Amino acid sequence: MTSTAAPTTEATAADGVAASDQAADRADRAEAPEPAAGDPHARRFGLPVATCLVMGNIIGGGIFLLPASVAPFGTISLVAFAVLTLGAVALALVFGRLAQRHPQTGGPYVYARAAFGDFAGFLAAWSYWITTWVSNAALAVAAVGYLGVLFPAIGAHKWSMCLAALTVQWLPALANLAGTRYVGAVQLVATVLKFAPLLLVAVGGLLFFDPANLGPFRATDQSAIGAVSASAAILLFSYLGVESAAVSAGEVRDPARNVGRATILGTVGAATVYLLGTLAVFGLVAHDTLVSSQAPFTDAVNAMFGGTWGGTVVACAAVISMVGALNGWTLLSAQTPYAAAKDGLFPKVFETKKRGVPVVGVAVTVVLASGLTVYNYTAGSEGVFEILVLVTTFTATVPYLLSTAAQLYFLLSGRSERVHRGRLIRDGALAGLAFAFSMWLVAGSGYAAVYQGVLFLFAGVAVYAVMAARRRRAAA
């Protein structure tokens, strides 16, 4: 029964807070304005391009080595794939739910800040930014190895390799600087071109499948759980990138609807290619050969059609795959600093946006990645570069943990306007599973990576202190 008593001052204040929260939620859900009609270079992404962004960023160049990497554990590694896929899909579903209420550029940064305040938001933005530009350098260096197969002269000298790596970085950066219209076009074309040969092996390879090549189910002396965990440690980072559509939500048409769909479709699509591709290679290449293979997809193509031209096909697919991943990751590397700069948590210059792209963020990121690339080729110390790359496996999971924790907070804090009441139990289970998956990612990165990654995070605390002081002075 509804009371007819006059509201108390406390109730009125509570109503005012609730109204304020609801207004804030409406602002959270408000979509970014469409690009100016007179700008032909800026264009919002539709569902197909957003899905390609997710798939392209999840699948970089690692897929071309994954079957050989997990072959020593036997076909039980396929079980690890299935377990990881469940965790990745749960994480994708959580991002989809969060994007429905916060359809803005920044993704994990936006969610962490909304739940836990500026400092948590900054940590999400800082760690994600580190991940993107260091990973871009690593992708470019890895791409040079495949370019050397197509153009042997590239591998003749370290400076020719360095120049090739810089070219691989700057071409996607220039596409980004040209505008979101070109980013989407490059991503769509790259995804189609790289998936053609992958699907050829993943689907066509099943026609040549020979069960005798599979080898033992458990090829080590480990227990079943131990073998799954060991192979999972190698595969854990294959799903980094599920947040791609959420980070670029401001550039997606109808983000409250399309970000979640793109995240799910992209993650499931990537998982399907991973699983079928690995299964096909297992059935095409004898286990003893696969364990020591340096190019498992090349061996698989050669087994399907004979000859030795498989190396060229796989090298082309790998280069296209990495360029497509660099194209997507370059955009993401600028989106999170852009969102943080709008809130005063990153330098204001990162807020500069032209043709739908945060151009300063793109430029700064590609310069940092280029510097790290040059250092890799001049210092001659692979250990330092490898440590930096390993650190990104930890820093990438920090935004995941904060995002899933934010969803748990929204579900458990009684803020019913943020979640559908009927989905409370299901969303809670998904958030819990996604949080556990994120923790597994952290554990899989290893002690050294966690130690180094925490140092990187603490370095960001000084940056936050400077930015917070500037905001306080500006407010005064």
Side-chain angles (χ1 to χ4, degrees):
M1 180 180 295
T2 302
S3 172
T4 57
T8 64
T9 302
E10 182 179 355
T12 303
D15 290 341
V17 172
S20 176
D21 285 344
Q22 290 170 1
D25 286 335
R26 287 193 295 271
D28 286 340
R29 293 192 293 267
E31 297 180 24
E34 290 283 351
D39 187 352
H41 306 291
R43 181 176 296 174
R44 301 284 287 280
F45 300 149
L47 180 60
V49 172
T51 302
C52 287
L53 184 66
V54 176
M55 293 181 70
N57 286 353
I58 292 177
I59 300 180
I63 187 174
F64 296 97
L65 293 175
L66 276 179
S69 299
V70 298
F73 300 101
T75 52
I76 196 172
S77 57
L78 297 175
V79 177
F81 254 127
V83 173
L84 288 173
T85 298
L86 289 176
V89 170
L91 188 60
L93 287 168
V94 170
F95 277 123
R97 294 282 186 268
L98 289 167
Q100 288 177 354
R101 289 292 179 176
H102 297 277
Q104 301 145 307
T105 294
Y109 157 75
V110 174
Y111 315 145
R113 182 170 180 263
F116 309 120
D118 288 347
F119 185 62
F122 173 83
L123 287 180
W126 177 260
S127 59
Y128 195 77
W129 187 52
I130 291 173
T131 299
T132 54
W133 64 265
V134 177
S135 296
N136 281 2
L139 271 173
V141 171
V144 171
Y146 289 100
L147 280 172
V149 175
L150 302 175
F151 307 102
I154 289 177
H157 193 275
K158 68 178 182 179
W159 287 115
S160 60
M161 296 171 66
C162 181
L163 181 60
L166 292 175
T167 301
V168 169
Q169 286 179 23
W170 278 91
L171 287 178
L174 292 175
N176 273 264
L177 293 172
T180 52
R181 175 180 183 179
Y182 302 99
V183 176
V186 171
Q187 198 65 30
L188 187 59
V189 172
T191 301
V192 172
L193 289 178
K194 79 176 179 182
F195 271 91
L198 289 176
L199 289 175
L200 173 66
V201 175
V203 178
L206 298 179
L207 301 176
F208 300 86
F209 192 89
D210 184 357
N213 290 328
L214 290 176
F217 177 69
R218 200 167 72 237
T220 65
D221 295 332
Q222 297 171 292
S223 65
I225 295 178
V228 169
S229 298
S231 54
I234 297 174
L235 302 170
L236 276 173
F237 313 108
S238 303
Y239 288 101
L240 297 181
V242 297
E243 75 290 342
S244 301
V247 173
S248 297
E251 278 60 59
V252 177
R253 287 197 296 270
D254 191 8
R257 178 183 179 88
N258 285 333
V259 166
R261 290 184 172 188
T263 302
I264 298 301
L265 291 174
T267 302
V268 171
T272 301
V273 172
Y274 276 150
L275 193 57
L276 287 180
T278 302
L279 178 62
V281 173
F282 275 12
L284 288 168
V285 183
H287 180 261
D288 292 342
T289 302
L290 184 59
V291 169
S292 58
S293 175
Q294 298 298 314
F297 272 80
T298 295
D299 294 338
V301 172
N302 290 339
M304 290 170 64
F305 303 109
T308 59
W309 53 272
T312 301
V313 172
V314 172
C316 287
V319 171
I320 292 171
S321 178
M322 292 185 184
V323 170
L326 277 166
N327 181 65
W329 279 108
T330 299
L331 177 63
L332 297 189
S333 68
Q335 297 287 25
T336 299
Y338 165 77
K342 289 184 66 178
D343 296 323
L345 299 180
F346 259 56
K348 189 173 179 60
V349 68
F350 283 93
E351 195 176 343
T352 306
K353 198 172 190 179
K354 296 180 181 179
R355 298 175 290 277
V357 174
V359 290
V360 173
V362 170
V364 171
T365 295
V366 73
V367 167
L368 288 172
S370 297
L372 184 56
T373 301
V374 172
Y375 174 78
N376 174 65
Y377 285 105
T378 57
S381 177
E382 295 183 2
V384 174
F385 187 74
E386 290 172 355
I387 288 174
L388 288 173
V389 173
L390 188 60
V391 165
T392 65
T393 61
F394 167 74
T395 57
T397 60
V398 173
Y400 293 174
L401 283 169
L402 290 172
S403 296
T404 53
Q407 175 70 338
L408 287 170
Y409 168 78
F410 294 145
L411 291 168
L412 299 175
S413 63
R415 302 182 68 177
S416 58
E417 74 276 5
R418 292 190 179 272
V419 291
H420 193 288
R421 291 179 185 273
R423 297 175 180 168
L424 182 61
I425 296 178
R426 183 180 66 181
D427 285 356
L430 284 173
L433 180 60
F435 186 85
F437 176 67
S438 301
M439 286 296 293
W440 196 12
L441 286 172
V442 173
S445 61
Y447 293 107
V450 172
Y451 171 75
Q452 300 284 350
V454 168
L455 293 181
F456 269 75
L457 287 182
F458 284 175
V461 174
V463 177
Y464 176 80
V466 172
M467 298 309 302
R470 287 183 177 178
R471 292 181 67 194
R472 175 66 64 88
R473 288 199 304 267

